[in-house]
Amino acid sequence: MLFFFLFFLTTTTNPSFVHSQSLPPSPTPSPCRSPKSIFLLAGQSNMAGRGGVFINTSTGGRVLTWDGIVPPECGPNPSILRLAANLTWVEAREPLHADIETNRTTGIGPGMAFANAILGRDRSLASVGLVPCAIGGTRISEWERGTFLYDQLMRRARAGTNDSGTIGALLWYQGESDTARESDAVLYKGRLEKFFSDVRADLQSPELPIFQVAIASGDGPFIETVREAQFKLDLPNVRTVDAKGLPLRSDRLHLTTPAQVRLGQMLANAFLQSRSASLASEASNRGSNLVFHVLSFFTWNFVKAVFIDR
């Protein structure tokens, strides 16, 4: 019996411009009814994507245009879906925010590179749903509970989970607009913490993983004040990916296409590391519970045999 007990344990407990938008091809209907793992993409222009956007002067004007170049890391995949503006799932294609930021010229963001990276390394995710919500030029105060942007984020998040999908994380890249005024930069930390807490409360997901990007640029002189606030957030299960040092376009504000690809991969690394740690913790807890129940079983049988059935 002792041999059986030891064998059982070892096998079960191992643990001023005109904007011209080059739109992607018309999306085809989703091959899946709904994705299994859903990710919210929110913030401002660097999350929405400005990679490949340039000032086109060939017609004599100054027209913002997307160059239409899609890196292989951002290519379409039948297992990657996007929640369109009309709240239906379609196959995801760049630019992800084309029908969300309809008055802006959008390009490559980090979303597709992120989705392709996590699917390539974790097949258990099965299918991924991206929910674009980012709007360029927005301050954190414009994302407070009760604002249009907050309500739209909640509406789209809930629509994405109508068919039993689960929100895997919020990917957040915002803060550049809060660098223009010192008062906004000083208040940034408290406002961001409240925003994250409100999102978790309203989605009834108190431990929702949040992956925020520390800004690499800004509209004003208080970039370091905002960055310091981002790194000093006092909330559990919030991880920060630093965009500082990634290449910027000539406007010194927006990430280039290669930078967006790299950022998407950095976010994927952070997510997969967090997921692995969470799964390991769950396995360890299951193993501990199993050991307890097995010990209880054999202890009871020993007591019963020695003291009760004698």
Side-chain angles (χ1 to χ4, degrees), residues 17-21 53-66 105:
F17 294 122
V18 176
H19 296 272
S20 174
Q21 178 66 65
V53 174
F54 67 100
I55 301 174
N56 186 353
T57 59
S58 62
T59 59
R62 294 170 64 82
V63 181
L64 285 175
T65 306
W66 177 48
T105 301

Side-chain angles (χ1 to χ4, degrees), residues 4-14 290:
F4 170 79
F5 171 61
L6 294 174
F7 175 78
F8 189 79
L9 287 181
T10 57
T11 56
T12 56
T13 59
N14 286 336
L290 179 60

Side-chain angles (χ1 to χ4, degrees), residues 224-243:
E224 290 306 318
T225 304
V226 171
R227 280 177 52 82
E228 183 179 359
Q230 292 173 324
F231 282 105
K232 288 187 175 181
L233 287 188
D234 188 21
L235 289 175
N237 213 19
V238 175
R239 292 168 176 80
T240 302
V241 173
D242 195 356

Side-chain angles (χ1 to χ4, degrees), residues 250-268:
S250 58
D251 61 9
R252 308 308 301 164
L253 181 63
H254 296 108
L255 298 183
T256 64
T257 293
Q260 289 285 16
V261 171
R262 178 59 186 143
L263 178 61
Q265 294 170 339
M266 291 164 64
L267 286 165

Side-chain angles (χ1 to χ4, degrees), residues 89-305:
W89 288 109
V90 297
E91 184 174 330
R93 293 178 181 273
E94 296 284 12
L96 289 176
H97 282 74
D99 62 348
I100 303 299
E101 277 200 308
T102 55
N103 62 337
R104 304 290 182 98
T105 301
T106 58
I108 302 296
M112 285 299 290
F114 167 83
N116 275 308
I118 63 173
L119 273 181
R121 292 165 56 186
D122 189 343
R123 298 293 183 182
S124 69
L125 292 170
S127 60
V128 166
L130 301 176
V131 181
C133 300
I135 300 293
T138 52
R139 299 188 305 276
I140 187 64
S141 60
E142 296 177 80
W143 290 88
E144 290 177 356
R145 179 189 267 162
T147 62
F148 170 79
L149 292 179
Y150 186 89
D151 291 345
Q152 178 173 258
L153 173 63
M154 291 297 105
R155 180 173 65 94
R156 290 179 58 74
R158 289 167 182 147
T161 56
N162 276 344
D163 293 325
S164 72
T166 300
I167 299 178
L170 164 64
L171 308 185
W172 175 258
Y173 190 170
Q174 188 278 335
E176 293 94 340
S177 291
D178 289 276
T179 66
R181 296 188 301 191
E182 185 176 14
S183 57
D184 286 334
V186 169
L187 293 172
Y188 190 81
K189 180 175 180 291
R191 287 172 171 172
L192 185 60
E193 287 178 343
K194 186 176 187 307
F195 168 71
F196 286 160
S197 297
D198 288 344
V199 167
R200 284 172 165 170
D202 290 342
L203 293 179
Q204 299 181 351
S205 181
E207 297 181 358
L208 175 70
I210 297 173
F211 298 86
Q212 69 156 342
V213 180
I215 59 173
S217 58
D219 293 329
F222 301 103
I223 295 174
E224 290 306 318
T225 304
V226 171
R227 280 177 52 82
E228 183 179 359
Q230 292 173 324
F231 282 105
K232 288 187 175 181
L233 287 188
D234 188 21
L235 289 175
N237 213 19
V238 175
R239 292 168 176 80
T240 302
V241 173
D242 195 356
K244 190 172 185 178
L246 293 177
L248 298 174
R249 285 172 34 203
S250 58
D251 61 9
R252 308 308 301 164
L253 181 63
H254 296 108
L255 298 183
T256 64
T257 293
Q260 289 285 16
V261 171
R262 178 59 186 143
L263 178 61
Q265 294 170 339
M266 291 164 64
L267 286 165
N269 289 339
F271 169 74
L272 292 172
Q273 290 171 6
S274 172
R275 178 173 166 83
S276 296
S278 177
L279 293 175
S281 177
E282 291 176 7
S284 177
N285 289 336
R286 286 196 300 269
S288 297
N289 290 335
L290 179 60
V291 170
F292 173 78
H293 289 302
V294 170
L295 285 173
S296 298
F297 172 79
F298 283 106
T299 300
W300 164 247
N301 279 277
F302 175 77
V303 171
K304 185 173 180 291

